[in-house]
């Protein structure tokens, strides 16, 4: 429905977005009975002024809480035409310093072309008696500011952008927005999905093989392939094949070579040994190699009493380390760069504690000196919390340590603003991608020791790179792999099963019940019911539901994460008297268990953090929920709910970097695309006290024997080696 009206008031405005609520007096409408009435409208607007005339497109809705509203989907400012309309406009509050007599005089001089003459040149107003330079400027800028942004929106909408997309572009680029879009629409790819931009370009500019589009598609091919595969470069034939796969662009070799050369000269890609890199990834790998090799070659004072300090630490803490563990501690303290790896139960966390405490003792650190000298870091909030709990020292995510700014997607600790800690320990290093490691190193000085701790057999990072494995395989740094398994109980089977999966040597009795392990063999159709029965029995034994975590490989399907969360919500948090809120097809309730999907350092929550909804509040113009993440309460607007999911069941990828007391894993042949060795190893190694596998034995065996993983193209290993052996 279209309605025309005058803005009478703005009763709500969200300053972090363009959402507004106001009152409109209707001047004209398809429904003539509405004329003269004042209605409430809601929607997204670039700017609104009292007494402004707008044409709104939308639908009347009856909100269950806020009543009758006109929900706006689009809007425009009607063309001001006719002498009377121009006088009304010039004498309105929208135009500064122009009374009725002045407006009449202007219109008497310029007639129906008044607004065009004003916008053409403010000096045209000096022809009117009584208008001086200052007054002319006030009137001119009032008319220009009223018209400009809306003209931009109108032209961007003609290209095909929605009003919200147009507002994003104008907010980012200001008065230059239209020029940028018309010169190269793909410059907006950080604001709007590339596929959407490409569709708009083809529909509006209709030049599928223009140089602008071909170059943009080539860069996007590099970007998309690297993010899909975890690689940092493509080889020539892969570039050609994926350009065809993603965009149906089949280019002959000569033309593709010319495009690549062009982009290379523009310093957007790097071509080296038939490897085609986005420049950013090339620079990141180069920086990592340069930094690590540089600090590795710097001298480090030796600790003459180190053996005694390790002995005393064991005695004071009633711990006995094996020779490999003692070597790991000594290597970490005696080298600028060192790596310690091991599977579950091999003592990595106790070794981190020993390294930190012995370092503090050797360097006589006290109070604030400790925080200023040592940084304990991990990619996830749960992993950093685990380090903090074990060492009784502060630990943080890498994003928080580097002070990531969400608004501009940049780290405030960087090459120009370094931090000065001298000992950096990074846990769960297998999760580090090329971008995050290079960002961390850029924030450090050369006077630093770095200890990388992780499990090389776990899943690789989500982002491009294979940094832990590449650093180890370069064979240029101190490396101590831990293999002997320790656990609280001698009867613990979980670390043994993890090792058997890693080695692909399952014992024949892997389906037999153990003290901390069980395999319940059931058909896929019975997995959900069996899962619920196991949880009920666990609760009867006194196990809290918050200590139970379901891990699954996939989101879709009969036993996918989405379906599991629905049935587990009904089991663990059925609707009684608590409030709930719907977002898309998902309904959230107070006390629901939820997972954070993106980093939000401003609020101290990070990708993979798990929390509980403590309250849901609904006000006349907004809905919000409060989520408690480990005593950190964060408020979410309804639009922010895109950043969370239910967490009764989570993906194995999202579980990486976390440990859970009791883990349940459904295993179905229907997961076949995601059943492979590293995934199952990672899932099993998340469990601390008990592990239950539910499903098909044949599916589990298939996954254990499947080495499937996309071969990542990386050159960090060779860059490190080249620093030492340039020939």
């Amino acid at each position: 429905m279209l309605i025309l009206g005058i803005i009478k008031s703005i009763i709500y405005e969200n300053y972090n977005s363009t959402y507004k609520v106001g009152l409109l007096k209707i001047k004209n409408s398809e429904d003539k009975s509405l004329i003269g009435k004042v209605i409430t409208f809601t929607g997204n607007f670039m700017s609104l002024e009292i007494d402004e005339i707008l044409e709104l497109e939308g639908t009347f809705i009856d909100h269950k809480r806020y009543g009758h509203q006109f929900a706006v989907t689009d809007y425009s400012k009607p063309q001001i035409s006719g002498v009377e309309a121009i006088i009304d406009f010039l004498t309105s509050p929208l135009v500064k310093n122009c009374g009725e007599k002045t407006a009449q005089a202007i219109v008497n001089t310029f007639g129906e072309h008044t607004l065009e003459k004003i916008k053409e040149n403010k000096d045209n107003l000096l022809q009117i008696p009584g208008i001086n330079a200052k007054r002319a400027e006030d009137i001119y800028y009032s008319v220009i500011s009223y018209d400009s942004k809306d003209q931009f929106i109108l032209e961007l909408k003609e290209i095909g952008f929605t009003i919200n997309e147009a507002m994003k572009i104008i907010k980012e680029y200001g008065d230059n927005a239209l020029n940028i879009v018309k010169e190269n629409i793909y410059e907006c790819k950080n604001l709007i999905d590339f596929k959407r931009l490409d569709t708009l370009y083809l529909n509006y500019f209709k030049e599928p093989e223009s140089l602008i589009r071909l170059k943009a598609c080539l860069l996007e091919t590099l970007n998309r392939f690297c993010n899909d595969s975890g690689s940092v470069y493509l080889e020539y034939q892969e570039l050609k094949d994926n350009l065809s796969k993603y965009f149906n662009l089949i280019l002959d070799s000569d033309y593709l070579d010319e495009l690549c050369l062009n982009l290379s000269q523009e310093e957007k890609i790097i071509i080296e040994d038939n490897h085609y890199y986005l420049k950013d990834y090339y620079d990141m790998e180069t920086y990592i190699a340069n930094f690590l090799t540089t600090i590795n070659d710097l001298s480090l004072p030796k600790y003459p009493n180190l053996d005694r300090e390790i002995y005393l630490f064991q005695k004071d803490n009633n711990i006995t380390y094996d020779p490999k563990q003692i070597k790991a501690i000594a290597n970490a303290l005696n080298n600028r760069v060192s790596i310690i790896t091991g599977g579950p139960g091999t003592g990595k966390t106790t070794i981190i504690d020993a390294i930190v405490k012995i370092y503090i003792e050797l360097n006589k650190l006290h109070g604030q000196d400790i925080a200023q000298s040592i940084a304990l870091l991990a990619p996830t909030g749960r992993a950093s919390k685990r380090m903090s709990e074990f060492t009784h020292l502060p630990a943080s995510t890498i994003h928080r340590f580097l002070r990531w700014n969400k608004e501009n997607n940049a780290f405030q600790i960087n090459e120009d603003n370094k931090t000065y800690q001298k000992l950096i320990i990074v846990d769960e290093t297998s999760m580090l991608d090329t971008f995050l490691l290079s960002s961390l190193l850029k924030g450090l000085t050369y006077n630093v020791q770095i200890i990388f701790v992780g499990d090389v057999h776990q899943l690789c990072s989500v982002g491009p790179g294979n940094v832990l494995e590449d650093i180890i395989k370069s064979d240029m740094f101190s490396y101590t792999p831990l293999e002997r398994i320790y656990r609280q109980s001698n009867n613990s089977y979980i670390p043994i099963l993890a090792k058997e999966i890693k080695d692909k040597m399952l014992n024949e009795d892997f389906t037999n019940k153990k003290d901390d392990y069980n395999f319940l063999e059931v058909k896929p159709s019975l997995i959900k019911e069996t899962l619920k029965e196991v949880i009920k029995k666990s609760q009867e034994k006194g196990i809290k539901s918050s200590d139970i975590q379901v891990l699954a490989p996939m989101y879709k399907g009969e036993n996918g994460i989405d379906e599991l969360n629905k049935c587990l919500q009904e089991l663990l948090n059925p609707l009684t008297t608590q409030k709930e809120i719907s977002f898309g097809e998902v309904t959230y309730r107070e006390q629901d268990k939820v997972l954070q999907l993106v980093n939000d350092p401003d609020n101290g929550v990070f990708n993979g953090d798990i929390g509980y909804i403590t309250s849901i509040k609904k006000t006349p113009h907004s809905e919000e929920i409060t989520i408690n993440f480990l005593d950190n309460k964060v408020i979410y607007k309804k639009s922010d709910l895109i950043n969370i999911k239910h967490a009764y069941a989570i993906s194995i990828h999202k579980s990486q970097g976390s440990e859970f007391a009791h883990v349940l894993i459904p295993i179905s042949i229907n997961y076949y695309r995601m059943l492979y060795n590293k995934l199952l190893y990672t899932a099993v190694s998340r469990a601390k006290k008990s592990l239950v596998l539910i499903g098909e034995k044949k599916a589990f065996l298939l996954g254990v024997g499947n080495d499937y993983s996309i071969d990542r193209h990386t050159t960090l290993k060779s860059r490190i080696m080249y620093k030492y052996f340039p020939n």
Side-chain angles (χ1 to χ4, degrees), residues 159-273:
I159 291 170
F161 290 104
T162 66
I163 194 160
N164 287 344
E165 290 169 342
M167 287 179 190
K168 275 187 188 178
I169 295 168
I170 292 168
K171 188 176 179 181
E172 179 72 17
Y173 298 114
D175 291 344
N176 205 28
L178 203 56
N179 289 336
I180 286 172
V181 168
K182 288 190 172 180
E183 285 176 16
N184 187 349
I185 196 172
Y186 299 102
E187 289 292 323
C188 302
K189 64 181 179 292
N190 292 329
L191 303 172
I192 295 164
D193 179 68
F194 186 93
K195 187 176 180 180
R196 167 79 174 143
L197 291 174
D198 196 42
T199 300
L200 292 177
Y201 182 87
L202 292 172
N203 290 342
Y204 185 79
F205 295 99
K206 303 186 187 305
E207 296 177 353
E209 296 195 2
S210 70
L211 188 60
I212 286 174
R213 179 171 187 259
L214 292 179
K215 286 161 69 172
C217 289
L218 198 152
L219 291 172
E220 178 62 14
T221 296
L222 280 162
N223 179 61
R224 199 179 298 182
F225 179 85
C226 289
N227 280 287
D228 288 349
S229 68
S231 298
V232 298
Y233 70 83
L234 281 78
E235 293 180 350
Y236 183 80
Q237 192 58 46
E238 287 174 323
L239 181 59
K240 200 170 186 177
D241 292 345
N242 282 282
L243 198 55
S244 171
K245 173 185 169 184
Y246 293 144
F247 300 107
N248 198 30
L249 289 170
I250 302 171
L251 306 180
D252 66 61
S253 296
D254 288 343
Y255 192 30
L256 181 56
D257 291 344
E258 185 181 334
L259 284 173
C260 290
L261 180 61
N262 197 306
L263 287 168
S264 176
Q265 290 168 343
E266 293 174 13
E267 296 189 342
K268 291 181 178 176
I269 70 170
I270 302 290
I271 305 169
E272 184 179 87
D273 300 329

Side-chain angles (χ1 to χ4, degrees), residues 478-492:
S478 168
Y479 171 46
T480 314
L482 305 173
E483 293 168 356
R484 185 174 173 183
I485 296 171
Y486 298 85
R487 207 47 140 176
Q488 304 93 315
S489 163
N490 290 331
N491 295 323
S492 180

